[in-house]
Amino acid sequence: MATQEEFEQAVAQSKELTERPSNNVLLQLYSLYKQATEGDVNTERPGGFDFKNIAKWDAWKNLEGTSQEDARAQYVQLVNSLK
């Protein structure tokens, strides 16, 4: 399990990556961050033609039931693999 400090370091490192990750990896980072910090989805799914936010919401929703600790550990692991 990743500590809160390791998670915060990974968040800072994710903002300093030398190459921009693919959209799929960005969605993974977003959804793991949201799950780690807020837990399960707590908002309504965006509607209409807001495709970017729909994709982000769906990615987060797919992690429903994942503990915040597991999401934190997965986030740290993913950021470390991108360095």
Side-chain angles (χ1 to χ4, degrees), residues 17-82:
L17 296 173
T18 55
E19 290 186 26
R20 185 180 188 278
S22 70
N23 286 339
N24 286 336
V25 171
L26 289 172
L27 280 174
Q28 281 182 289
L29 287 168
Y30 172 82
S31 61
L32 287 168
Y33 178 84
K34 292 293 275 185
Q35 190 70 20
T37 57
E38 296 185 34
D40 289 342
V41 170
N42 55 13
T43 61
E44 293 292 319
R45 186 174 192 260
F49 295 100
D50 192 358
F51 299 119
K52 180 180 177 181
N53 284 321
I54 289 171
K56 290 166 72 173
W57 190 93
D58 287 346
W60 183 16
K61 179 74 170 170
N62 286 335
L63 293 176
E64 195 167 57
T66 302
S67 73
Q68 289 181 279
E69 294 78 21
D70 285 345
R72 198 167 46 228
Q74 290 177 46
Y75 184 93
V76 170
Q77 185 177 20
L78 180 56
V79 170
N80 287 338
S81 75
L82 297 173

Side-chain angles (χ1 to χ4, degrees), residues 9-21 79 82-83:
Q9 287 173 345
V11 170
Q13 290 170 347
S14 73
K15 296 174 185 174
E16 299 172 356
L17 296 173
T18 55
E19 290 186 26
R20 185 180 188 278
V79 170
L82 297 173
K83 291 195 245 175

